[in-house]
Amino acid sequence: MSERAPRLDGMADPATYRPAPGELPDSPGVYRFRDEHGRVIYVGKAKSLRSRLSSYFQDVHNLHPRTQQMVTTASSVEWTVVPTEVAALALEYTWIKEFDPRFNVKYRDDKSYPYLAVTMADQFPRVQVMRGAKRKGTRYFGPYAHAWAIRETVDLLLRVFPVRTCSAGVFKRAAQQGRPCLLGYIDKCSAPCVGRISPDDHHALAQDFCDFMAGDTAKFTRRLTARMKEAAAELDYEQAARLRDDIATLEKATERNAVVLKDGTDADIFALAGDELEAAVQVFHVRDGRIRGQRGWVVEKVEDVTDAELVEHLLQQVYGTEEDTGTASVPREVLVPVLPPDVEQVQDWLSGMRGSRVQVRIPQRGDKRELAATVLRNAEHALVLHRTRRAGDLTTRSQALREIQEALDLASAPLRIECFDVSHNQGTFQSASMVVFEDGLARKSEYRLFNLRGPDGDGARDDTAAMHEVITRRFRRYLAERSNAGDVELGLGEDDDEPRRSGPVDETTGRPQRFAYPPNLIVVDGGQPQVAAAAAAMAELGIDDVALCGLAKRLEEVWLPGEDYPVILQRSSEGLYLLQRLRDEAHRFAITAHRRRRSKGMTVSVLDDVPGLGPARRAALLRHFGSVKRLRAASVEEIASVQGMGERTAAAVVAALAGDAAQTGAQGGTVVVPAAPGLAADASTVDAPADASPASAEEASGFGMLRS
């Protein structure tokens, strides 16, 4: 394997980093273009790296406009030789998924489709509705158009396959109480929580459920019919009637999926509708001749691709995810509107995942062609719907970035904006947030949280000091990661002793580093003082190529460093609206982190000073009683009954909680307690939870003087 990775910062001419003709191998491989910061902006594969890479370095004016933008944004190119084209296909998908390059085609689900999932890796498998990323050890069926459709099907099948459907909390509580939930009493759950069925038998029951959902329905109907006849022959008419009803239930569940292909086809049927800028993709999952699910994507063509290449990327997207999670459900046939350029290597890749031969072809006649036409109509409808919903959005995002550029007198539109906010409660539990918008859209995977320390480890003295600390830490990390940037490649350098390094990648995890890329614009929540503090922090670190502004909430004015008067944007300005969204998102994220820290710190600190009560006993108490509220209501005898507790320690706990309750009443219902030592001194940066939601006004009203 070989590679080249020159770093010529600031160069926009592709000729400055063009590889010498003799260096490019005439072999299959995968290549990566990087920008001046080392960020991967495009990943591609080729049968011949020499031919493909040479095509990028012709006269720029002969390239497609999007390809022009990519090669002029890049500042280096590197490649990796692989033994086969199939290996190149798999490696290309892996790198696109890892680096999320901005110039590669991006598939976005046109909605979040629900799946019927069975957690076969659990001791007692659970049937449930799931959305989002797939997990290892879980069987998935679908996707379905509506969650209620899954629940109706499950409700029918639980009569025949009484598999567990409850959450872990309900399961644990039932096991502790020795009583099953309602489903256990009405025979829609085999009640493994109370030992009515062994783990092995319950697992076999879940496997039967999966087999039925996978299309193997006839054997269960035959099995129940035979048992019904045996019961009738033994004059057990009640059992025979129950089995008759079970058979009717299975037939009803089977009828919900209409037969669309007579020959029991096992296939995925794709259709594509679009133009030069975007496309809509639809797929029907047909199993055993029935439509088991439907799924759709909307594609923004950020690279110059043909329909054939788009189909190839699509198959990587759909089946590559299943390969990663170990739940590959590749069908025998993949029917596409256009064959991918290298159909043989795609078939080999899919066959390797399935374990048997997979055929990728275009339907030519008969029922399959008619069904493909139906899928195409769905794709066309999805594209029309997408354009209707997004027409204004694409325009306003561009307008907002342009207005910010003009108002702040920036050299270019701020494609990456970072916004910072600080949240605390009378100086305690200080937290700060960093939210990131790219191209006018939130990029939640880039969000970060900071626990503020201050010079003495007790937190910052005020908001300006807190902002100075956050900006300092953010750009200190940027400078450190930039200077130490480097991902260890598979190939070796010219001396064959040291691996080459070329980009900002964490050497431990192999993933891009968190703070390695600078923003085009920093926005702080606040006015002139906060902006001055942020500007001072950036100046101390020598950061002079990142724009800075602050948004003051009172009059929504925009403050610039060193200016005595703010910039006033019109209230109807799209640029102001984008800045407000940034500020509000940073505020929401910071206050969510602050409340989480404070809740944890207050819960722990109530018991911190109890003599003889260490971390293990505190954990045992909270595990036994479930909450401080229940613990406060417990008697000395009840606390002493917990394993590891004695009467003296229990009495000390009751006394401490009684004193805490008195303090709560004296402060009007708000408990203000210093953080636990481990929390107050925590200086780490925490990854953002993607599903963090804003707290309600009712929650805020109970938190005393909450600042952000």
Side-chain angles (χ1 to χ4, degrees), residues 86-384:
V86 176
L89 183 73
L91 183 59
E92 180 193 32
Y93 166 76
T94 300
W95 280 355
I96 289 175
K97 181 180 178 184
E98 177 177 352
F99 296 109
D100 189 21
R102 58 178 294 196
F103 286 101
N104 279 92
V105 167
K106 301 181 187 299
Y107 289 86
R108 294 175 289 109
D109 278 334
D110 53 8
K111 62 187 295 187
S112 179
Y113 286 96
Y115 285 81
L116 172 60
V118 186
T119 58
M120 297 299 293
D122 293 349
Q123 181 184 15
F124 296 103
R126 177 191 176 193
V127 177
Q128 60 183 316
V129 178
M130 276 192 180
R131 299 177 187 264
K134 294 184 177 180
R135 306 172 186 174
K136 288 186 177 180
T138 300
R139 289 284 302 274
Y140 290 88
F141 303 95
Y144 291 78
H146 303 285
W148 57 260
I150 303 178
R151 295 188 178 96
E152 283 190 356
T153 301
V154 171
D155 187 62
L156 278 173
L157 293 179
L158 287 180
R159 177 186 176 92
V160 183
F161 308 104
V163 186
R164 168 198 166 203
T165 59
C166 61
S167 66
V170 173
F171 186 90
K172 182 178 179 181
R173 185 163 58 250
Q176 291 174 341
Q177 295 174 346
R179 297 195 309 271
C181 62
L182 176 62
L183 292 177
Y185 284 107
I186 62 175
D187 295 328
K188 285 195 172 182
C189 178
S190 53
C193 54
V194 294
R196 289 185 183 175
I197 186 173
S198 69
D200 291 340
D201 290 342
H202 186 270
H203 200 279
L205 188 64
Q207 185 61 53
D208 286 345
F209 180 92
C210 292
D211 292 343
F212 181 86
M213 290 301 303
D216 190 5
T217 59
K219 73 175 184 181
F220 295 103
T221 303
R222 290 194 300 268
R223 182 190 303 172
L224 292 178
T225 301
R227 289 174 55 191
M228 179 185 68
K229 292 180 179 179
E230 291 176 1
E234 296 174 0
L235 305 183
D236 188 355
Y237 297 117
E238 291 184 0
Q239 177 66 11
R242 282 193 292 269
L243 293 170
R244 177 203 59 198
D245 294 341
D246 289 347
I247 295 171
T249 296
L250 293 186
E251 291 175 348
K252 185 177 181 180
T254 304
E255 289 170 0
R256 288 180 177 270
N257 290 312
V259 176
V260 294
L261 297 175
K262 298 179 180 178
D263 58 353
T265 300
D266 180 16
D268 286 346
I269 305 176
F270 292 86
L272 181 68
D275 54 24
E276 293 183 354
L277 298 178
E278 55 189 0
V281 179
Q282 289 280 317
V283 57
F284 280 13
H285 302 283
V286 178
R287 300 293 183 269
D288 196 26
R290 298 179 176 88
I291 297 177
R292 296 291 184 181
Q294 174 188 4
R295 195 175 180 187
W297 295 266
V298 177
V299 183
E300 292 181 8
K301 296 183 180 178
V302 293
E303 59 175 307
D304 182 21
V305 292
T306 63
D307 285 350
E309 293 170 326
L310 203 60
V311 167
E312 182 176 89
H313 291 318
L314 174 65
L315 298 182
Q316 286 180 299
Q317 172 80 16
V318 174
Y319 300 114
T321 304
E322 295 178 349
E323 180 184 37
D324 292 343
T325 57
T327 58
S329 57
V330 182
R332 289 191 295 269
E333 286 184 291
V334 177
L335 306 180
V336 294
V338 181
L339 290 178
D342 303 307
V343 63
E344 289 297 330
Q345 72 174 39
V346 172
Q347 289 184 149
D348 291 342
W349 176 57
L350 295 176
S351 300
M353 283 192 292
R354 177 178 171 83
S356 60
R357 192 62 182 167
V358 176
Q359 187 176 16
V360 179
R361 65 183 184 88
I362 302 173
Q364 300 293 336
R365 63 183 67 85
D367 293 338
K368 294 177 182 177
R369 181 179 176 85
E370 292 180 5
L371 185 56
T374 301
V375 182
L376 177 60
R377 286 194 294 272
N378 279 267
E380 292 170 343
H381 175 73
L383 182 61
V384 171

Side-chain angles (χ1 to χ4, degrees), residues 367-623:
D367 293 338
K368 294 177 182 177
R369 181 179 176 85
E370 292 180 5
L371 185 56
T374 301
V375 182
L376 177 60
R377 286 194 294 272
N378 279 267
E380 292 170 343
H381 175 73
L383 182 61
V384 171
L385 186 61
H386 167 74
R387 286 173 173 169
T388 302
R389 292 175 175 174
R390 292 291 303 274
D393 183 49
L394 293 172
T395 303
T396 53
R397 278 165 43 204
S398 300
Q399 180 182 348
L401 294 174
R402 186 173 60 253
E403 289 179 358
I404 294 174
Q405 176 188 354
E406 294 173 354
L408 304 185
D409 195 23
L410 304 179
S412 60
L415 297 182
R416 180 183 172 101
I417 307 176
E418 294 179 0
C419 186
F420 294 82
D421 185 27
V422 176
S423 181
H424 60 86
N425 185 11
Q426 297 179 344
T428 62
F429 304 104
Q430 295 178 357
S431 299
S433 66
M434 181 186 94
V435 302
V436 180
F437 275 37
E438 288 190 352
D439 298 326
L441 294 175
R443 189 175 177 89
K444 292 194 174 184
S445 62
E446 300 287 322
Y447 285 15
R448 297 291 176 255
L449 294 173
F450 299 83
N451 294 332
L452 299 179
R453 293 174 295 181
D456 302 321
D458 297 326
R461 67 178 183 275
D462 54 28
D463 286 351
T464 56
M467 188 61 69
H468 184 280
E469 177 182 337
V470 172
I471 298 297
T472 299
R473 288 168 60 184
R474 188 266 180 265
F475 282 101
R476 186 180 293 153
R477 288 283 298 274
Y478 159 62
L479 294 174
E481 292 185 1
R482 186 181 65 176
S483 62
N484 297 326
D487 62 353
V488 181
E489 301 290 348
L490 296 178
L492 296 176
E494 294 179 359
D495 58 2
D496 287 340
D497 288 329
E498 294 294 332
R500 288 203 171 167
R501 303 176 182 275
S502 60
V505 176
D506 190 305
E507 295 186 11
T508 302
T509 64
R511 297 188 176 277
Q513 295 178 355
R514 294 176 175 177
F515 297 100
Y517 311 117
N520 302 111
L521 174 65
I522 290 288
V523 179
V524 298
D525 181 17
Q528 202 171 22
Q530 285 79 9
V531 173
M538 294 170 66
E540 291 169 6
L541 295 174
I543 304 295
D544 56 5
D545 56 350
V546 177
L548 170 68
C549 73
L551 184 62
K553 191 168 187 178
R554 187 172 65 90
L555 297 176
E556 303 290 14
E557 65 263 24
V558 179
W559 288 91
L560 298 177
E563 298 292 335
D564 295 329
Y565 300 97
V567 176
I568 304 298
L569 297 177
Q570 293 183 359
R571 287 288 179 171
S572 59
S573 165
E574 291 295 337
L576 177 60
Y577 176 64
L578 177 57
L579 292 177
Q580 288 172 328
R581 285 177 53 213
L582 268 161
R583 189 264 319 280
D584 293 344
E585 179 71 351
H587 176 79
R588 175 195 71 79
F589 199 51
I591 207 170
T592 301
H594 161 79
R595 286 172 176 164
R596 185 165 56 245
R597 281 193 66 204
R598 187 184 58 186
S599 176
K600 181 179 179 182
M602 290 169 61
T603 300
V604 175
S605 62
V606 169
L607 304 176
D608 270 351
D609 298 328
V610 178
L613 193 65
R617 288 184 174 183
R618 287 200 299 268
L621 284 175
L622 293 176
R623 185 166 55 249

